[in-house]
Amino acid sequence: MPTRPNPAKRVRHEQPDTLVYAIEDRLYVNLTDRCTLACNFCPKHNGSKELHDYNLTLSERPEQEHIIEQIGDPSRYQEIVFCGFGEPTLRLKALVSIAAAVKAKGGRTRLNTDGLANLFHKKDVVPLLAGCIDAMSISLNAQNEQTYTQHCAPSLANSHAAVLSFIKLAADMIPDVTVTAIDGLEGVNILACQKLAKERGAKFKARALDIVG
């Protein structure tokens, strides 16, 4: 099983860490290297530390003030996207603070998430996110627990059911919620994933295998 990034074994870079990075007209926030999953299709578990020529490994836990400073004027971008090298909701307080700062300056926010925030934090955090997140992309990745576990290697029990619950809660409170799954993974039924998303009030998008960002 792939190992998750271990913050205790971070290596200091010669160059400053990449805390924000632009792809076309969007600015992405690299908030954490930690994750609740170890997906076998994720580039960081397949020897790649880069996305669009950006090295996203972190030598230290980034301070939210530094990220807000580097974002600058968020209205220059179509949206500010919380994504990066790990799962943004693991740093929930920093995520909410940065997103609120972006909104206060007239920016639009989007969260790319594995949908396990409620399971990890052991409470419903969707109302907190709804106050500062305009759009959300949730990775469902499989139509059932067995296939999900095969590809995503979750560290928390009952993760697939937790994602489905999170999708419904998010779609009830956030106007723009899209569920994704990767077309091309063994055993993944894209039509079944689409049905699960729509039953919970969310849109659906099939992603292509090995296409990131």
Side-chain angles (χ1 to χ4, degrees):
M1 180 182 297
T3 57
R4 294 168 178 80
N6 184 350
K9 296 181 180 178
R10 290 179 177 144
V11 177
R12 178 77 55 179
H13 303 149
E14 292 183 3
Q15 301 296 324
D17 288 353
T18 299
L19 303 185
V20 300
Y21 55 100
I23 299 177
E24 297 179 346
D25 57 356
R26 292 176 171 86
L27 188 71
Y28 291 75
V29 176
N30 188 22
L31 186 58
T32 182
D33 55 5
R34 297 170 58 217
C35 195
T36 32
L37 302 175
C39 300
N40 56 28
F41 51 83
C42 179
K44 70 186 175 192
H45 295 307
N46 291 294
S48 175
K49 299 178 180 179
E50 295 186 351
L51 174 66
H52 289 252
D53 297 326
Y54 296 107
N55 186 330
L56 300 185
T57 56
L58 296 170
S59 60
E60 59 185 2
R61 175 172 156 149
E63 298 292 336
Q64 63 191 51
E65 293 81 8
H66 294 164
I67 292 176
I68 292 171
E69 180 180 355
Q70 290 198 21
I71 291 173
D73 179 6
S75 66
R76 295 177 297 162
Y77 303 95
Q78 179 175 327
E79 57 185 359
I80 306 300
V81 185
F82 295 88
C83 186
F85 204 51
E87 169 53 42
T89 61
L90 294 184
R91 293 195 62 195
L92 185 62
K93 184 177 179 180
L95 166 62
V96 170
S97 295
I98 298 167
V102 169
K103 296 294 295 176
K105 295 179 181 178
R108 174 180 168 82
T109 58
R110 175 161 62 93
L111 169 64
N112 291 357
T113 179
D114 60 15
L116 295 173
N118 288 355
L119 183 62
F120 179 82
H121 293 287
K122 300 180 180 179
K123 63 180 181 180
D124 182 10
V125 304
V126 173
L128 190 62
L129 295 170
C132 58
I133 297 296
D134 295 305
M136 190 179 291
S137 177
I138 305 172
S139 299
L140 176 59
N141 289 327
Q143 70 279 7
N144 56 47
E145 186 84 32
Q146 180 179 355
T147 309
Y148 182 86
T149 299
Q150 173 189 345
H151 291 295
C152 300
S155 60
L156 302 173
N158 302 314
S159 286
H160 187 261
V163 178
L164 292 176
S165 174
F166 186 86
I167 291 168
K168 176 66 169 65
L169 293 169
D172 285 345
M173 296 199 70
I174 297 173
D176 186 356
V177 174
T178 300
V179 170
T180 68
I182 298 177
D183 194 2
L185 289 180
E186 180 184 359
V188 172
N189 186 325
I190 290 296
L191 291 179
C193 292
Q194 182 180 40
K195 183 173 184 290
L196 289 171
K198 291 191 173 182
E199 286 175 345
R200 287 157 180 79
K203 295 181 290 185
F204 180 80
K205 179 179 180 181
R207 295 171 52 207
L209 183 62
D210 297 328
I211 302 297
V212 182

